[in-house]
Structure formats: structure tokens, C-alpha cells
């Protein structure tokens, strides 16, 4: 389904390091006025992120002027602290996320609440929605893109019709959304954000995960179908959130002891709270259900007492 993105869709000062599901993509915007990095990946991958940034497609030994974040989930801001240490640059985050980072709200930001590891960083500058910024000699309009993350921004460059979407739109779907019982605004906001993006003239999307893509209308269609399925079944929304978070933690840890899965489900906030709210299962049963789903979709497998990613 992925069409290769012709090189001429991006101006030469823009480079995307396509990462994986544990680390967000990193976008480097080079300029004589100062280089900018959008999103910094996950903490576990900091050595690779620093190496890419230092490399010839990155900025070499030049200084970094800014780290900018689409939103403050651990897989997008996990490299912030280490990059600030190396480059001494300021960090800009969406205005609505700044207070959460300032008080290091591990529940709202889904850090310890989802068993995600992250080194603390500080906010130097906030990005309000509907403001314009010049990064890499290009004008970027910051637009509110609530849904997966209620404070998220997307960045739109009208000249080249490029949209940096973070987790608000991927080629196949978008980042998990909180069920209506947890946040009644999340699903309606997700739909409104997809509609907002549909109203922009976009030729190429740089998503937070996966390759940049040009089939924007088809991606918006798929996203709307997913929203409709979620709207029809909030248990499905809850199950999906737990499944993708467990898969994220499995990619982080590389293997998890099956014998301890029930304790894990009982201990980590997201699973504990969702179980109480939606499933009402003994933790061992919910653990079995989630592990079974990851196996069924070919994402994970059981191996000699361990749960591992299928491709490990
Ligand atoms: Zn996210």
C-alpha cells in the first residue's frame, strides 16, 4: 500500500529519520539560522538518535537551535533530556502539554502510568495552536490536533504541502484513543482532527511512525472508518489501548515473563484502571486475553515461559 515518496516532495533542508514503533520518527530541519529537530524518539534508543543527529543526514557537529515536539508521549520526547545535555538547546512543546510536563504528570502523559521509561526534561518555550514558526527556512503553521493526545499539534507547511502529524494520523490509523468513559472528548476530537486535516491541501504526510506517504485521502478514509468502529464499541477502544500499550512495553523490554503477566496487569495503572472500569476480570484472565490477541495478530509469541515480539 505504501508508495515510495519521490525525493522532490521534500526540500533539501528537510530530512526524516524513519524509526520504529518504540521511537517516533525524527525530522531534521537545517538552516543557517539554526537547526531544528522535531520529536526525539524513546529513551532506550537515545544512542541511535544521537548518532543519527550527529551523522551527515543530521547536523554533524553543528549546534542544534531547538527541539520541537508534536506531543509529549514518551516515544516522541524520550530523547529530549539527552539531546539537551549534548547540545544545550531549548525545548518547545505544545502549549496544552507544557503544564503536564512542568508538574511531570506521569498519569496524564502516560509515563509511569503505562510503565514507560523517560528521563525528565524541562520546557523552555510553548507553542500555542494557530501560530507560525520558521524552522529550516520554511514556514510551519502549528495546528491543534487533539484526539490520541488532547494537547497535540500538527505542523503544516503550505508551500510544499507537507504535514507533520505525530500520532494524529498515520498511513494506517492513528495513535490509540481513550475510551469515552475515560475521556468523553477524545473520540469526537479525533474525528474533528481528521476532518481538519482533510480540509488542508496536503501532498505528503510525515507521520510519527512509519514512512512518509502521499496517499493522504485514502489514509483519512481509513482513519475515519476506524473512528466509526471505535464510536460503535467503546470496549473495543479500551481493548485496543491496552493491546498497543502492552506491545509497546514488550518492544521496550524485549521479553516479559509470562508467569509475571498477571502481577504486571494488576500493578501498572492503565491495565489496573481499565480492568476495573471495563473488563472486571481476574488479572490472569485479562493478561491471557491480551497476550492471546497479540499472538493472534502475529505481533508477539510465547517462547519457553517468555512473551517476546514475534520478530525477535
Ligand atoms: Zn503518542
Amino acid at each position: 500500500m505504501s508508495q515510495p515518496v519521490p525525493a522532490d516532495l521534500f526540500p533539501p533542508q528537510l530530512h526524516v529519520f524513519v524509526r520504529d514503533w518504540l521511537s517516533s520518527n525524527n525530522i531534521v530541519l537545517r538552516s543557517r539560522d539554526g537547526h531544528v529537530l522535531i520529536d526525539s524518539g524513546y529513551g532506550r534508543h537515545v544512542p541511535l538518535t544521537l548518532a543519527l543527529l550527529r551523522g551527515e543526514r543530521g547536523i554533524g557537529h553543528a549546534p542544534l537551535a531547538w527541539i520541537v515536539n508534536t506531543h509529549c508521549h514518551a516515544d516522541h520526547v524520550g530523547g529530549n533530556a539527552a539531546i539537551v545535555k549534548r547540545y544545550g538547546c531549548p525545548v518547545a512543546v505544545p502549549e496544552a502539554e507544557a503544564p503536564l510536563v512542568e508538574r511531570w504528570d506521569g498519569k496524564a502523559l502516560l509515563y509511569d502510568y503505562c510503565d514507560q521509561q523517560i528521563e525528565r526534561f524541562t520546557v523552555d518555550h510553548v507553542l500555542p495552536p494557530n501560530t507560525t514558526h520558521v524552522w529550516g527556512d520554511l514556514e510551519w503553521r502549528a495546528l491543534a490536533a487533539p484526539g490520541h493526545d488532547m494537547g497535540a499539534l500538527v505542523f503544516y507547511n503550505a508551500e510544499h504541502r507537507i504535514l507533520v502529524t505525530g500520532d494524529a494520523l498515520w498511513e494506517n490509523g492513528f495513535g490509540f484513543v481513550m475510551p469515552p468513559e475515560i475521556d468523553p472528548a477524545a473520540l469526537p476530537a479525533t474525528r474533528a482532527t481528521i476532518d481538519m486535516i482533510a480540509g488542508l491541501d496536503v501532498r505528503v504526510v510525515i507521520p510519527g511512525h512509519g514512512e512518509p506517504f502521499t496517499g493522504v485521502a485514502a489514509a483519512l478514509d481509513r482513519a475515519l472508518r476506524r473512528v466509526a468502529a471505535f464510536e460503535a464499541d467503546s470496549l473495543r477502544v479500551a481493548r485496543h489501548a491496552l493491546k498497543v500499550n502492552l506491545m509497546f512495553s514488550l518492544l521496550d523490554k524485549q521479553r516479559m515473563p509470562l508467569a509475571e503477566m498477571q502481577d504486571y496487569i494488576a500493578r501498572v495503572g492503565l491495565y489496573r484502571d481499565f480492568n476495573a472500569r471495563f473488563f472486571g476480570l481476574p488479572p490472569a484472565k485479562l493478561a491471557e486475553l491480551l497476550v492471546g490477541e497479540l499472538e493472534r495478530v502475529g505481533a508477539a509469541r510465547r517462547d519457553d515461559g517468555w512473551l517476546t515480539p514475534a520478530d525477535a
Side-chain angles (χ1 to χ4, degrees), residues 71 73 75-76 148 167:
H71 64 299
H73 285 160
D75 53 331
H76 292 253
H148 160 71
D167 292 343

Side-chain angles (χ1 to χ4, degrees), residues 69 71-72 91-105 109 111 120-128 149 151-153:
N69 296 118
H71 64 299
C72 292
V91 174
V93 306
E95 184 178 44
E97 306 270 86
L100 309 179
V101 176
E102 273 152 17
R103 64 171 192 262
W104 207 246
D105 188 331
L109 293 166
Y111 297 160
R120 188 163 183 166
F121 66 94
T122 51
V123 173
D124 301 293
H125 185 75
V126 299
L127 303 167
D149 180 293
L153 295 174

Side-chain angles (χ1 to χ4, degrees), residues 12-94:
Q13 69 269 38
L14 185 162
H15 184 74
V16 184
F17 291 109
V18 175
R19 304 294 293 273
D20 54 23
W21 291 97
L22 195 59
S23 277
S24 68
N25 293 340
N26 316 122
I27 302 160
V28 174
L29 291 154
R30 286 176 299 217
S31 163
R32 252 177 244 173
D33 297 333
H35 305 315
V36 174
L37 173 72
I38 301 180
D39 286 350
S40 65
Y42 189 62
R44 176 178 293 280
H45 288 166
V46 156
L48 176 57
T49 307
L50 288 173
L52 292 171
L53 198 54
R54 176 63 64 89
E56 67 173 301
R57 304 307 303 270
I59 61 173
H61 291 275
L64 185 65
W66 285 102
I67 298 172
V68 172
N69 296 118
T70 56
H71 64 299
C72 292
H73 285 160
D75 53 331
H76 292 253
V77 298
N80 283 14
I83 294 169
V84 166
K85 242 175 250 162
R86 175 162 301 179
Y87 289 92
C89 62
V91 174
V93 306

Side-chain angles (χ1 to χ4, degrees), residues 66-254:
W66 285 102
I67 298 172
V68 172
N69 296 118
T70 56
H71 64 299
C72 292
H73 285 160
D75 53 331
H76 292 253
V77 298
N80 283 14
I83 294 169
V84 166
K85 242 175 250 162
R86 175 162 301 179
Y87 289 92
C89 62
V91 174
V93 306
E95 184 178 44
E97 306 270 86
L100 309 179
V101 176
E102 273 152 17
R103 64 171 192 262
W104 207 246
D105 188 331
K107 184 173 184 191
L109 293 166
L110 308 178
Y111 297 160
D112 53 321
Y113 188 65
C114 292
D115 186 33
Q116 299 185 0
Q117 323 301 321
I118 177 159
E119 191 181 343
R120 188 163 183 166
F121 66 94
T122 51
V123 173
D124 301 293
H125 185 75
V126 299
L127 303 167
N130 302 315
T131 52
T132 301
H133 308 269
V134 178
W135 301 322
D137 303 322
L138 301 165
E139 273 197 5
W140 297 90
R141 186 91 177 146
L143 299 166
H148 160 71
D149 180 293
M150 293 307 282
L153 295 174
V154 296
F155 303 122
Y156 178 55
N157 172 258
E159 183 191 354
H160 297 275
R161 298 158 62 202
I162 298 168
L163 186 67
V164 173
T165 56
D167 292 343
L169 179 71
W170 299 335
E171 189 165 22
N172 276 296
F174 43 79
F176 76 92
V177 175
M178 284 296 173
E181 292 83 350
I182 305 289
D183 183 352
L187 261 179
T190 304
R191 179 178 278 283
T193 289
I194 294 165
D195 288 342
M196 182 279 289
I197 293 173
L200 301 173
D201 181 16
V202 179
R203 181 163 55 161
V204 55
V205 167
I206 304 176
H209 304 271
E211 296 282 341
F213 61 90
T214 52
V216 182
L220 289 166
D221 250 25
R222 283 188 292 271
L224 279 179
R225 279 202 299 273
R226 171 163 292 193
V227 170
F230 279 169
E231 286 165 344
D233 183 356
S234 62
L235 258 190
R236 178 174 168 170
V237 188
R239 226 169 33 236
H240 180 256
L242 295 191
K243 214 171 60 181
V244 300
N245 270 282
L246 185 58
M247 192 59 211
F248 184 89
S249 290
L250 183 58
L251 289 170
D252 184 9
K253 299 171 196 304
Q254 283 302 303

